[in-house]
């Protein structure tokens, strides 16, 4: 690899592990606020957090499309894609495919057709991180980021809701997410967990 190729790869890995993660975190909170019964369930059972993140990635993937170049002529749905042509794989649409997901336009952390355990691997049912050999190399790091931050914030934000007058807007084409997410909440009065030696 040339120095230019190495530099481009490093930039791509850093971008893949940061920008989609912050968008996914914001979208996670949006969807849980929009579905208060599921928010309550995640608060009650932190083990559901991974499922909530996986469903957020399926429902509103932060990366909406992936460009690919055809190595040879290929036919899709009766249309020939010539060798060398650039094809844009629309992840957002694929993740709402009714042939792949039941009620695809419904946000449901309990859906049985997602497979939470494999949602951050190359065998994921959704395409938020790509698939197979072309899975995003930042997927595991992004999962660690999102789970760590969400697990820290959720217990601290009681009665979390949108700020008065807030209007939700999204922006972006290649990557897509909220312009902002203005929230109001009551700081949790729960005591911080004690350490193993009894100190707070």
């Amino acid at each position: 690899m040339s120095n230019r190729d190495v530099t481009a790869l490093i930039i791509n890995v850093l971008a893949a592990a940061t920008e989609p993660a912050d968008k996914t975190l914001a979208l996670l909170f949006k969807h849980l606020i929009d579905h208060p019964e599921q928010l309550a369930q995640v608060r009650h059972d932190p083990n559901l957090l991974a499922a909530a993140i996986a469903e957020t990635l399926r429902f509103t993937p932060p990366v909406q499309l992936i460009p690919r170049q055809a190595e040879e002529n290929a036919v899709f749905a009766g249309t020939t894609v010539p060798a060398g042509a650039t094809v844009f794989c629309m992840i957002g649409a694929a993740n709402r495919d009714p042939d792949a997901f039941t009620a695809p336009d419904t946000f449901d952390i309990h859906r049985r057709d997602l497979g939470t355990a494999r949602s951050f691997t190359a065998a994921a049912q959704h395409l938020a991180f790509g698939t197979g050999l072309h899975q995003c190399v930042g997927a595991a790091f992004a999962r660690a980021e999102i789970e760590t931050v969400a697990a820290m914030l959720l217990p601290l934000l009681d009665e979390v809701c949108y700020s008065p007058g807030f209007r939700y807007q999204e922006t972006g084409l290649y990557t897509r997410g909220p312009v902002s997410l203005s929230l109001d909440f009551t700081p949790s009065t729960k005591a911080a967990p004690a350490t193993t030696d009894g100190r707070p």
Side-chain angles (χ1 to χ4, degrees), residues 31-51:
H31 296 319
L32 290 177
I33 290 169
D34 288 346
H35 300 83
E37 72 290 347
Q38 295 185 57
L39 172 58
Q41 291 165 6
V42 173
R43 284 185 184 281
H44 178 71
D45 182 4
N47 290 324
L48 290 173
L49 180 57

Side-chain angles (χ1 to χ4, degrees), residues 148-163:
T148 300
V149 175
M152 291 172 58
L153 288 178
L154 277 170
L156 300 177
L157 310 181
D158 283 345
E159 301 175 342
V160 62
C161 61
Y162 299 122
S163 300

Side-chain angles (χ1 to χ4, degrees), residues 138-193:
F141 183 52
R143 176 183 186 175
E145 289 180 294
I146 299 163
E147 283 189 350
T148 300
V149 175
M152 291 172 58
L153 288 178
L154 277 170
L156 300 177
L157 310 181
D158 283 345
E159 301 175 342
V160 62
C161 61
Y162 299 122
S163 300
F166 172 71
R167 296 184 62 186
Y168 181 79
Q169 291 181 301
E170 289 187 356
T171 187
L173 177 62
Y174 175 70
T175 60
R176 188 165 184 83
V179 173
S180 65
L181 197 66
S182 180
L183 304 177
D184 284 359
F185 61 93
T186 301
S188 174
T189 57
K190 296 176 184 176

Side-chain angles (χ1 to χ4, degrees), residues 2-112:
S2 67
N3 287 341
R4 181 177 179 179
D5 290 339
V6 171
T7 301
L9 179 60
I10 291 171
I11 292 172
N12 190 39
V13 170
L14 290 174
T18 53
E19 185 182 11
D22 64 9
K23 287 178 169 55
T24 301
L25 185 64
L27 289 164
L28 169 68
F29 273 87
K30 177 196 183 305
H31 296 319
L32 290 177
I33 290 169
D34 288 346
H35 300 83
E37 72 290 347
Q38 295 185 57
L39 172 58
Q41 291 165 6
V42 173
R43 284 185 184 281
H44 178 71
D45 182 4
N47 290 324
L48 290 173
L49 180 57
I53 295 170
E55 176 64 349
T56 296
L57 288 166
R58 182 204 68 83
F59 194 65
T60 46
V63 177
Q64 287 284 302
L65 56 89
I66 296 178
R68 290 287 183 262
Q69 190 172 58
E71 288 188 357
E72 56 188 40
N73 291 346
V75 178
F76 295 97
T79 300
T80 299
V81 177
T86 299
V87 177
F88 288 91
C89 307
M90 306 305 292
I91 295 174
N95 282 357
R96 300 286 187 100
D97 184 350
D99 290 336
F101 299 102
T102 302
D105 295 328
T106 299
F107 181 84
D108 180 9
I109 65 174
H110 300 290
R111 68 169 54 251
R112 298 185 181 191

